[in-house]
Amino acid sequence: MRESGEDPIPGGSGSVPRRDNVRTGRLPNVDVAPKHGLDQGDTMTNGTRGVPGLILGYGNLTGIAFEERVAAAAAAGVDAIGYSVLEFQDAKRNGIDAKDLAAIAENAAIHVAEVEIGLGFDGPADGRRWGPVSFPWDLPYMDAGVEQDLLDLAGAFEAHHIVVAGSSHRQGTDTARRFARLCDRAAEVGAKVAIEFLPGTDIPDIATSLAVVQSADRDNGGLCVDNWHFMRGNRDDAALRSLPADRVVVVQLSDGPAAPLTDDYFEETLKHRRLFGDGDWDVAGFLATLRTNGVTAPVSIEILSENWHARPIVQTATTFVARARALEG
C-alpha cells in the first residue's frame, strides 16, 4: 500500500519514497571520442532496443515498494514502466541490486524501459548540490557513481533509454563532449540517452538541448520532450514542429491548467500536473504534431499530482494508462 509522507523530487521528473519506505527498490573533461557505429533504428542489432510502447513513468506512483509498482503496472496493462536511480540508491543500501529488480519485473512480464535521472550530467562532480532556483531538495550533481548506477540499471532492465538533465547556474562544462561520452557508455548496454530540457537549468528548452545533441553527434543521443516543460517554459511551437524525428527519444506527457496555480515552478511541476482531459492543454494535438513529423518515440506518462498520489495505486495506474491510450485513438 502507499504510505504517507513521501516527498516528490524532480527526476524526469519523478519522485522517490521516503527512505524508510523503500524495501526494494565526474565526468572528465575529454575530447569527443570516436563515434560508435550505432544506428538510430529500433532493434538491438543496430545497437539500441525496440520502441517499448506506452510507459508508466516513475513519478506517477510514489511511496511504494518496487513489487507494488510492478504489480500496479501489470494490472493497468501498460507496456513498460520507469524507474529512478535515486530509489535504486536506497535499494542498494538494503542489499538489493539491479539484477534483483530486473528479476522482479521479468517475473511480472513488465519491461522497465526508462531510467532516470542524472542531474547535471555536465556539472561539477565534487559534491556540490544541483539546483535551479526554487528547487526544493538537497541533491548532488551526477557523479561517477550515479552514472554507473544508471548504466547498471539500463543494462539489467534492458532499458530503452536513460534520462539526464543539464547543470544550473552556469556550472556545466564541455557539455556536448560529456554527453557524447555518456552516450558511448550507454551504447555498450544498448540504451539511448535523452536530455530533458528543464526551465531553470542551463538546458532549458528544445533549441538548447537539440544543439547539444547535434554537437555531440551520437546516434543514440536525443531529447526527452516533456510537454509540461514546453508549455510552462520557453514555448516554441516552431522548434517543436521542426524537431528532427530521429532525435526524439521519449515524449513525456501530462495535462495542466491554462495558468499556473502558484508562482513557484517546481511546486507546480511536482504537485499540480493533471490527468489528460482534466486540464486545459491540447495534449493530443501536441503529440499529433510530433507524430506528423515522423516521431515514433514512446510516450511516457508523467503526471506528478498530489491529488492522484493520495489515491489507490492500481486505480491511479489504470486511469492514467486508459487516458493516455486514448490520446492516440
Side-chain angles (χ1 to χ4, degrees):
M1 292 292 293
R2 193 192 302 271
E3 299 180 40
S4 62
E6 66 268 15
D7 296 327
I9 62 176
S13 312
S15 48
V16 64
R18 287 178 14 179
R19 298 197 184 280
D20 57 357
N21 286 347
V22 178
R23 297 201 294 275
T24 59
R26 212 156 44 217
L27 295 169
N29 288 344
V30 295
D31 291 334
V32 176
K35 185 175 176 181
H36 284 204
L38 296 184
D39 199 81
Q40 185 68 12
D42 291 309
T43 66
M44 271 301 295
T45 56
N46 289 328
T48 52
R49 295 187 177 90
V51 177
L54 182 64
I55 303 168
L56 184 65
Y58 175 79
N60 301 284
L61 306 176
T62 62
I64 60 175
F66 186 72
E67 295 93 335
E68 294 174 288
R69 179 181 303 279
V70 168
V78 75
D79 301 307
I81 63 172
Y83 187 62
S84 167
V85 70
L86 300 171
E87 182 174 309
F88 179 57
Q89 291 169 341
D90 283 335
K92 288 199 302 179
R93 284 187 278 271
N94 289 312
I96 304 298
D97 64 22
K99 291 182 180 179
D100 295 327
L101 297 173
I104 293 168
E106 184 177 2
N107 287 340
I110 290 294
H111 180 202
V112 183
E114 182 172 70
V115 178
E116 55 183 4
I117 184 171
L119 298 173
F121 69 90
D122 59 340
D126 57 6
R128 270 181 271 181
R129 316 319 277 176
W130 180 90
V133 174
S134 85
F135 181 71
W137 303 109
D138 183 24
L139 294 172
Y141 273 94
M142 174 178 165
D143 60 13
V146 173
E147 177 181 316
Q148 191 58 54
D149 285 343
L150 288 165
L151 294 167
D152 288 347
L153 288 169
F157 288 140
E158 298 188 357
H160 177 260
H161 60 268
I162 296 167
V163 180
V164 297
S167 296
S168 58
H169 308 297
R170 302 296 177 186
Q171 293 180 328
T173 58
D174 291 328
T175 300
R177 295 178 188 178
R178 293 167 74 174
F179 184 67
R181 176 185 177 277
L182 182 58
C183 288
D184 289 346
R185 293 204 68 200
E188 294 172 359
V189 296
K192 301 180 183 182
V193 185
I195 296 176
E196 180 171 3
F197 57 86
L198 184 65
T201 70
D202 300 336
I203 307 179
D205 51 30
I206 287 176
T208 310
S209 53
L210 182 60
V212 173
V213 167
Q214 291 178 328
S215 181
D217 193 24
R218 292 304 192 260
D219 291 332
N220 65 325
L223 276 64
C224 167
V225 180
D226 186 326
N227 74 322
W228 179 273
H229 301 315
F230 177 83
M231 296 293 291
R232 285 282 183 259
N234 180 24
R235 177 172 176 172
D236 187 338
D237 293 297
L240 183 71
R241 290 191 298 269
S242 63
L243 258 178
D246 64 349
R247 288 307 189 186
V248 180
V249 171
V250 60
V251 181
Q252 294 184 340
L253 294 178
S254 60
D255 207 334
L261 302 182
T262 77
D263 60 1
D264 186 319
Y265 183 79
F266 283 102
E267 180 178 347
E268 289 288 307
T269 297
L270 299 171
K271 295 182 178 180
H272 299 310
R273 303 197 198 197
R274 293 184 180 176
L275 176 64
F276 315 116
D278 289 354
D280 301 312
W281 299 346
D282 182 8
V283 182
F286 178 92
L287 182 56
T289 296
L290 292 169
R291 295 296 191 226
T292 300
N293 226 18
V295 172
T296 60
V299 165
S300 181
I301 303 167
E302 185 85 341
I303 302 170
L304 312 184
S305 162
E306 60 182 1
N307 177 29
W308 281 96
H309 286 167
R311 303 188 191 190
I313 58 174
V314 172
Q315 176 193 358
T316 299
T318 301
T319 303
F320 285 11
V321 170
R323 290 281 186 97
R325 291 203 188 283
L327 293 173
E328 298 195 78

